[in-house]
Amino acid sequence: MDSTNWTQLSGHKGAFVFHSSKILLKKCEPDDNEARIYKSLMGDATMNRFLPKLHKIYNVKKSCFIAIDNLLYGFDNPSIMDIKMGSRTFLEDEVSNDELRADLYEKMIKLDPSVLTDEEKQVKSINKLKYMQLREQLSSSSTLGFRIEAFKTRNLNKSKADLSLVKSKKHVRKVLKKFLPTDRDKLDKILNRLNLIHSSFKCSSFFGSHEVVGSSLLIIYDSCKVNIWMIDFAKTVPLPEGIVINHVSPWVQGNHEDGYLFGLENLINIIKEIKDTVFSV
Ligand code: I3P
């Protein structure tokens, strides 16, 4: 594999540099938090099998890069789906950021102008918290605890712009069905791996002490293989002292709940339903 047949489905443009066919360099933004999280998780024997391997951390001038496994290596023209986990996609710190942004207003106008207030329309800008909360409410993040960010198969290529309004369970099921493999063995492998991530996450001391925001599950399969990885930890942060979360309960300001396991349980159930309908006869 070379950089011409590598695919970045979503996330910040330019965040990746092709290092070799097996290794990618990812720029950690806005600070080196993601590098620290990868480093801790690599030492966690229950969780490290679900992440791309971290090879090295580079600090270049004021930027930090991580050299991680290219998850697409070894797949032949794979189908890929990025699922953003959790019912909350912003950090509690971001709640107090009231900077008004015209770029986010422009993105929201394209998505659904009816959700903007007259005042916001007048100033043609909104703050990031409002934008992120609207994205959660317009998609399935708020109700199901995950949203499909993007996917590609041999015949279909759906970007964030196509999927931002996929909200109801029925709609999510329909989109997942378009993406998922149709053979029983691969569907079973997907369900087994998701269940394993769920049980390991639930028992992990790392995830018992961190909130996980804006992280994704990446499902990849081709005609021979299927696998799922946890990626994107820029907004995975230690919980403040004295705070305990279950990753299932709804968020209210100050409780730090992220809804990761709530989303994972819903995802597993929907894929089970799809499998049951496909193989009901
Ligand atoms: C972006 C998405 C990114 C977020 C970015 C948003 O919205 O939520 O995760 O970056 O914020 O604009 P969308 O998916 O609708 O394009 P962070 O995760 O780094 O906050 P940004 O515009 O401040 O980069």
Side-chain angles (χ1 to χ4, degrees):
M1 173 177 289
D2 59 27
S3 55
T4 52
N5 53 16
W6 182 77
T7 316
Q8 181 182 349
L9 269 192
S10 60
H12 293 282
K13 281 208 177 88
F16 289 94
V17 181
F18 217 71
H19 186 265
S20 68
S21 56
K22 290 186 181 174
I23 295 175
L24 299 175
L25 283 182
K26 182 181 185 192
K27 189 170 188 197
C28 298
E29 288 179 306
D31 50 31
D32 62 356
N33 182 59
E34 187 162 28
R36 275 182 273 128
I37 297 298
Y38 262 100
K39 204 171 164 193
S40 306
L41 280 169
M42 282 302 111
D44 181 328
T46 53
M47 295 311 302
N48 59 12
R49 59 196 158 145
F50 303 120
L51 274 74
K53 187 174 170 203
L54 171 73
H55 295 274
K56 206 172 165 135
I57 298 173
Y58 294 98
N59 288 295
V60 186
K61 294 185 184 158
K62 284 185 178 159
S63 299
C64 173
F65 293 84
I66 47 175
I68 52 174
D69 273 348
N70 171 12
L71 298 174
L72 301 188
Y73 180 79
F75 284 92
D76 177 23
N77 193 10
S79 297
I80 316 166
M81 178 176 267
D82 180 308
I83 302 176
K84 190 173 262 199
M85 299 304 295
S87 31
R88 174 165 59 94
T89 56
F90 55 88
L91 286 170
E92 296 234 358
D93 285 357
E94 287 173 306
V95 174
S96 55
N97 177 3
D98 50 16
E99 181 202 346
L100 290 172
R101 287 178 49 182
D103 60 327
L104 298 181
Y105 173 84
E106 288 305 324
K107 285 206 277 185
M108 193 47 69
I109 276 285
K110 283 189 194 130
L111 207 55
D112 185 354
S114 73
V115 295
L116 294 162
T117 63
D118 289 343
E119 201 187 328
E120 285 159 349
K121 284 178 185 158
Q122 227 165 23
V123 292
K124 293 192 183 331
S125 36
I126 53 172
N127 68 37
K128 183 151 172 189
L129 174 66
K130 174 80 188 281
Y131 177 79
M132 300 296 260
Q133 287 183 316
L134 285 174
R135 286 278 280 115
E136 290 162 12
Q137 285 152 21
L138 291 170
S139 69
S140 56
S141 293
S142 59
T143 47
L144 295 174
F146 71 89
R147 70 172 176 246
I148 300 167
E149 281 282 282
F151 75 93
K152 89 172 243 308
T153 63
R154 275 167 196 257
N155 316 312
L156 276 174
N157 209 330
K158 297 282 181 192
S159 68
K160 199 154 57 177
D162 305 311
L163 299 166
S164 299
L165 300 176
V166 176
K167 180 178 171 67
S168 69
K169 191 173 168 188
K170 195 173 161 197
H171 199 174
V172 170
R173 196 191 292 119
K174 196 172 157 195
V175 175
L176 274 170
K177 209 170 162 194
K178 280 188 187 153
F179 165 76
L180 287 169
T182 47
D183 65 278
R184 189 176 219 139
D185 181 52
K186 286 207 187 81
L187 275 177
D188 281 338
K189 281 189 177 141
I190 286 174
L191 282 168
N192 289 343
R193 178 88 166 164
L194 289 174
N195 278 316
L196 204 57
I197 293 174
H198 182 274
S199 55
S200 307
F201 186 117
K202 216 171 161 182
C203 301
S204 148
S205 56
F206 180 89
F207 288 111
S209 59
H210 286 74
E211 61 189 290
V212 188
V213 170
S215 178
S216 286
L217 287 175
L218 200 67
I219 306 179
I220 308 176
Y221 71 89
D222 63 11
S223 54
C224 305
K225 298 185 295 292
V226 54
N227 217 332
I228 304 175
W229 284 275
M230 298 172 73
I231 56 165
D232 293 344
F233 299 100
K235 292 196 198 176
T236 292
V237 293
L239 289 165
E241 223 177 295
I243 299 276
V244 179
I245 65 173
N246 56 23
H247 303 279
V248 175
S249 301
W251 177 71
V252 288
Q253 194 174 343
N255 77 355
H256 291 263
E257 286 293 353
D258 53 33
Y260 192 101
L261 288 179
F262 172 67
L264 188 48
E265 282 157 23
N266 282 321
L267 178 64
I268 291 170
N269 286 334
I270 295 173
I271 296 179
K272 265 191 205 147
E273 284 170 17
I274 293 173
K275 189 191 147 196
D276 290 346
T277 44
V278 173
F279 298 106
S280 61
V281 280

